[in-house]
């Protein structure tokens, strides 16, 4: 079993890389989507991702209960979670205890039989945000990424479509 974390900036190619890594495992891949189509622009983004992947993926839409969804799909093909950053945003918006849920996810990942490829955004490379909410999200994202990277077998950073192995 493998846990692979793929991080990078917006439009860096991390989702495409994660899809390729997930397809490299045997079995039918499972796409665990954390995004919600709350507006037309997000509906278009989701449609673009679906079109690129094709129809051979099993899809699960899981905006909040990620650890439980991974438990439920364990034993199927490799799972691709896209993405942790949106999941974190969903948790914060729902006023759930994100630290507890991230810790729960990190504890579950090494126990799965089927591989898990996780996509996340690196949001801490830019300027310090000018408001408390944005700084809080940036900090939570950085903490989450560290916790998941710690339990991951592999970590890649994608820049301009090019992966760099970090772990």
């Amino acid at each position: 079993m493998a846990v692979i974390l793929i991080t990078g900036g917006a439009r860096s190619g991390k989702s495409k890389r994660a899809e390729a890594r997930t397809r490299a495992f045997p079995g039918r891949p499972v796409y665990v989507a954390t995004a919600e189509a709350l507006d037309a622009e997000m509906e278009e983004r989701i449609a673009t991702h679906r079109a690129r992947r094709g129809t051979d993926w099993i899809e699960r839409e899981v905006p909040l209960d990620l650890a439980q969804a991974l438990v439920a799909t364990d034993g199927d093909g490799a799972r691709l979670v896209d993405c942790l950053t949106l999941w974190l945003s969903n948790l914060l918006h729902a006023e759930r205890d994100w630290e507890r849920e991230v810790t729960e996810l990190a504890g579950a990942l090494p126990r799965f039989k089927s591989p898990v490829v996780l996509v996340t955004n690196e949001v801490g490379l830019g300027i310090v945000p000018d408001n408390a909410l944005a700084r809080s999200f940036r900090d939570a994202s950085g903490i989450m990424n560290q916790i998941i990277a710690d339990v991951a077998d592999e970590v890649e950073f994608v820049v301009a479509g090019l992966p760099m192995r970090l772990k």
Side-chain angles (χ1 to χ4, degrees):
M1 200 289 298
V3 176
I4 301 168
L5 179 65
I6 298 179
T7 188
R11 295 287 185 240
S12 64
K14 61 191 176 300
S15 291
K16 188 175 178 182
R17 175 68 177 166
E19 290 165 10
R21 293 293 312 265
T22 305
R23 284 181 189 271
F25 291 102
R28 189 169 178 203
V30 179
Y31 189 93
V32 181
T34 61
E36 294 181 282
L38 300 176
D39 57 41
E41 186 266 342
M42 189 53 105
E43 287 176 7
E44 188 174 320
R45 284 177 179 263
I46 291 169
T48 299
H49 271 248
R50 278 188 177 132
R52 183 182 66 227
R53 282 193 312 272
T55 59
D56 59 332
W57 292 76
I58 299 168
E59 289 189 18
R60 300 283 184 265
E61 294 181 3
V62 185
L64 292 170
D65 298 319
L66 183 55
Q68 295 85 344
L70 291 173
V71 168
T73 58
D74 198 24
D76 297 335
R79 283 81 50 83
L80 167 56
V81 176
D82 199 355
C83 80
L84 289 178
T85 315
L86 282 172
W87 175 63
L88 175 65
S89 178
N90 295 341
L91 293 173
L92 292 168
H93 186 260
E95 298 181 351
R96 289 176 53 164
D97 182 351
W98 69 267
E99 290 176 283
R100 182 187 58 76
E101 298 210 30
V102 167
T103 300
E104 178 184 316
L105 175 63
L109 286 169
R111 296 192 309 262
F112 291 129
K113 293 178 269 184
S114 299
V116 181
V117 179
L118 305 118
V119 175
T120 192
N121 287 282
E122 178 51 60
V123 300
L125 295 175
I127 62 171
V128 175
D130 69 347
N131 65 78
L133 178 60
R135 286 189 299 273
S136 176
F137 177 75
R138 178 213 48 200
D139 293 349
S141 181
I143 292 165
M144 175 187 67
N145 288 347
Q146 290 181 58
I147 291 169
I148 301 302
D150 187 53
V151 300
D153 299 304
E154 297 178 38
V155 179
E156 292 184 350
F157 184 68
V158 179
V159 178
L162 302 172
M164 295 185 298
R165 187 174 176 125
L166 303 178
K167 178 180 178 183

